Amino acid sequence: MTAPVTSAVDTLVLVGRHVTFYVRAIIGVPAVLVRYPKHIVRLVTEISFGSASLLAGGGTIGVVFAMSFVSSTQVGLEGYRGLDLLGMSPMTGLMGALVNTREIAPIVASIALAAKVGTGFTAQLGTMRVAEEIDALESLAIPSLRYLVSTRMAAAFISVIPLYLVGLFASYMATGFAIVYLNGDSPGTYNSYFHLVLTPTDVLFSLVKAVVFALMVTLIHCAHGYYATGGPEGVGKAAGRALRTSIVAITVVDVLLSLLFWGVRPSLPALGL
């Protein structure tokens, strides 16, 4: 076969292997909840709070809070500046509610999860693969994919809800701080518009986004680690490929979910729009 044909076949084989991996990992989640609950609890603790000092190896909760706070502070500063040029600075409360809830908070939380937790999963599983520890599990009749991947999916699902709510709170707090205290906008006006357009449905859809992103990141990073080859260098390359893939997947799926939840022309019933 010619080189283009060989490359196309290899790509199809790789895609098929990953899709099969994802399906098997998802199907195995109910079984691991019953069979490995202690292992899942340990993974939840490791994901959320880490196992070392906050600066050296702390959990994801601090990373999500910090990234959400900083990014939403920028939303408040630049959003107020832009609206003030148009004479619409009182509308910044609307921006703080919509932009943070629908887009900024879920994307920031998922990228933090990919960078902090996802790369860790890739490194762990990749190291186990090159050290033949995964093969050792299989020789002991332990289903390695369920034990190593499905348990991590369950732990990510359990962890992402409180983690995301922490990030969403940080986003709201940061935007309000930037608009009210740094730019001197009226707190009453800001809170009025903020609560006027913030609905439970938007928060629910935003949480659904975060959960989908978390499961997607876990699957992508675990797959790259599970199939890593080439020793320590190969594990490093797998972590880089997984991070690039997950970030691209997050942005693409975010657009699709936004269109699904709010449509091409989002409506604001509270404002008659």
Side-chain angles (χ1 to χ4, degrees):
M1 291 188 293
T2 61
V5 174
T6 303
S7 178
V9 171
D10 291 341
T11 301
L12 289 175
V13 170
L14 180 63
V15 171
R17 183 169 62 176
H18 275 256
V19 171
T20 303
F21 178 92
Y22 299 157
V23 173
R24 290 175 60 197
I26 293 171
I27 292 175
V29 170
V32 300
L33 290 172
V34 177
R35 193 166 185 179
Y36 308 115
K38 292 183 180 179
H39 186 51
I40 293 174
V41 170
R42 183 181 65 79
L43 288 171
V44 169
T45 304
E46 181 180 334
I47 290 171
S48 302
F49 302 105
S51 56
S53 66
L54 181 62
L55 293 178
T60 313
I61 187 169
V63 177
V64 170
F65 184 91
M67 289 183 63
S68 299
F69 191 91
V70 172
S71 59
S72 294
T73 299
Q74 287 297 107
V75 169
L77 292 173
E78 298 301 327
Y80 181 88
R81 183 179 303 174
L83 290 175
D84 190 50
L85 291 174
L86 301 175
M88 300 174 63
S89 58
M91 301 290 287
T92 50
L94 181 151
M95 180 199 63
L98 292 183
V99 174
N100 284 325
T101 305
R102 296 186 178 185
E103 299 298 337
I104 297 296
I107 289 180
V108 169
S110 59
I111 291 176
L113 192 71
K116 180 67 176 66
V117 178
T119 52
F121 285 168
T122 306
Q124 290 169 357
L125 298 186
T127 302
M128 294 181 70
R129 171 61 72 183
V130 300
E132 300 184 351
E133 294 179 21
I134 295 179
D135 296 331
L137 287 175
E138 294 289 351
S139 68
L140 296 172
I142 298 175
S144 62
L145 195 147
R146 285 188 178 184
Y147 183 75
L148 297 175
V149 180
S150 296
T151 53
R152 282 171 167 78
M153 284 194 62
F157 178 80
I158 296 171
S159 303
V160 71
I161 296 176
L163 285 174
Y164 177 65
L165 293 178
V166 168
L168 190 61
F169 170 76
S171 298
Y172 293 156
M173 184 172 63
T175 305
F177 174 79
I179 292 174
V180 174
Y181 293 100
L182 297 183
N183 286 304
D185 195 25
S186 168
T189 303
Y190 174 81
N191 290 327
S192 175
Y193 278 104
F194 181 88
H195 293 291
L196 182 65
V197 298
L198 182 63
T199 65
T201 302
D202 278 358
V203 175
L204 177 61
F205 286 158
S206 180
L207 181 59
V208 170
K209 269 190 174 185
V211 171
V212 171
F213 293 159
L215 298 180
M216 186 171 61
V217 164
T218 303
L219 284 172
I220 292 172
H221 282 266
C222 286
H224 280 80
Y226 191 84
Y227 292 118
T229 57
E233 181 181 359
V235 174
K237 290 181 179 178
R241 286 195 301 268
L243 185 58
R244 292 192 297 271
T245 303
S246 61
I247 290 176
V248 171
I250 287 168
T251 55
V252 172
V253 175
D254 177 69
V255 173
L256 296 177
L257 289 179
S258 294
L259 293 175
L260 176 65
F261 293 153
W262 295 291
V264 179
R265 296 181 179 178
S267 60
L268 295 175
L271 301 178
L273 300 175

